[in-house]
Amino acid sequence: MAQRRSLAVPYGAPILAVSFLACVATGLELSVNNQAADFTLSTGLSPAISLSCLVHNSSQAEELLWYRGTGQVDLKDGNKVNISNICISPVNESDNGVTFTCRLARDKAVQVSVTLDVQFPPQLSGEETLHVEEEKDVTLTCNSKANPQAQSIWLKDNQILTLQQSRHKLYQTSEVFQLSITKVQTSDNGTYTCVVESGLGNGTRDFHLFVEDKKPVFPTEAIIAAAVVVTITILFGIVAQRDKIFKCSKKPKDTALR
């Protein structure tokens, strides 16, 4: 007859299993602003917006944590259990693309994230006055921040700039709009305007370009050689004059009277 064997069960295992099954059965979950899944919140520049995190299907007090990006947000007592609110004030362009996450303290896998989509009109900056020598290269950099991304053009003296493929080059990213001019000429003198247009508004930035006359270039070797020749000539002149002065300064010998 085959002998029956029983598996030993560690002390406390049934209790842990029951607790785990109870947690699964309750379907514990979180929501942020009534959203149970990750979402994007579109907003404009505003004094403040609020995010509210709520625990669902909980039979006990659950502590909540908030994160801005990877950094934890400090919460006051009384704003941590089962429901927690945070306020972003004011909302500005630096908050665009930032993710806020609410997590369950005892199980950080239970979480909901919200990413801010902060929309704002173009904001421009850049060096306004540039001096460049003729036949040198120059780049006008218009720093542009906007959401949604805006369309950009360049004007010269209030007229749309006619681009020359051999001399002009445009470069654009979500935050930079550049105009490069190769071998500038005196005709490039003028006021260049960076114009950025979006559905939320327009922005302009003037750049004053001054083309200066080309400075003459002297070969260094020729200057050094000329300096050496001049120095040697001066030295020879001084030596020659010294000999003359020395001869003239000699007194004639006394002659006997006859």
Side-chain angles (χ1 to χ4, degrees), residues 32 38-41 51 66 98-101 112-116:
V32 172
D38 296 347
F39 67 102
T40 298
L41 177 61
L51 301 177
W66 273 104
V98 176
T99 298
F100 291 86
T101 303
V112 176
S113 295
V114 51
T115 301
L116 298 186

Side-chain angles (χ1 to χ4, degrees), residues 153-162 168 179 181 185-195 207 209:
I153 60 171
W154 282 99
L155 306 181
K156 181 178 185 293
D157 298 330
N158 296 320
Q159 301 293 325
I160 295 178
L161 177 64
T162 301
H168 297 127
L179 169 65
I181 306 175
Q185 306 167 359
T186 55
S187 60
D188 293 319
N189 268 311
T191 299
Y192 293 78
T193 304
C194 170
V195 180
F207 296 82
L209 179 62

Side-chain angles (χ1 to χ4, degrees), residues 121-124 150-151 195-204:
Q123 299 177 356
L124 309 182
Q151 299 296 319
V195 180
V196 181
E197 302 176 340
S198 78
L200 299 179
N202 302 332
T204 61

Side-chain angles (χ1 to χ4, degrees), residues 133-203:
E133 187 179 328
E134 190 177 3
E135 294 189 4
K136 297 287 187 179
D137 298 340
V138 66
T139 297
L140 311 182
T141 300
C142 180
N143 299 310
S144 170
K145 295 179 66 177
N147 184 35
Q149 187 171 349
Q151 299 296 319
S152 306
I153 60 171
W154 282 99
L155 306 181
K156 181 178 185 293
D157 298 330
N158 296 320
Q159 301 293 325
I160 295 178
L161 177 64
T162 301
L163 298 176
Q164 300 177 24
Q165 186 175 2
S166 60
R167 300 186 59 242
H168 297 127
K169 182 179 179 182
L170 298 179
Y171 173 77
Q172 185 172 8
T173 67
S174 60
E175 295 188 356
V176 172
F177 187 41
Q178 289 182 334
L179 169 65
S180 296
I181 306 175
T182 303
K183 295 184 178 180
V184 297
Q185 306 167 359
T186 55
S187 60
D188 293 319
N189 268 311
T191 299
Y192 293 78
T193 304
C194 170
V195 180
V196 181
E197 302 176 340
S198 78
L200 299 179
N202 302 332

Side-chain angles (χ1 to χ4, degrees), residues 218-229:
F218 297 99
T220 305
E221 294 81 359
I223 294 175
I224 295 175
V228 171
V229 171

Side-chain angles (χ1 to χ4, degrees), residues 192-253:
Y192 293 78
T193 304
C194 170
V195 180
V196 181
E197 302 176 340
S198 78
L200 299 179
N202 302 332
T204 61
R205 182 82 171 180
D206 288 338
F207 296 82
H208 306 286
L209 179 62
F210 296 93
V211 180
E212 301 173 346
D213 293 337
K214 185 177 181 181
K215 298 176 182 178
V217 179
F218 297 99
T220 305
E221 294 81 359
I223 294 175
I224 295 175
V228 171
V229 171
V230 171
T231 302
I232 293 175
T233 302
I234 292 173
L235 289 175
F236 275 119
I238 292 174
V239 171
Q241 291 296 327
R242 178 177 175 278
D243 291 342
K244 289 182 180 180
I245 294 172
F246 181 75
K247 290 179 179 179
C248 291
S249 62
K250 286 183 178 181
K251 295 182 179 180
K253 295 181 178 179

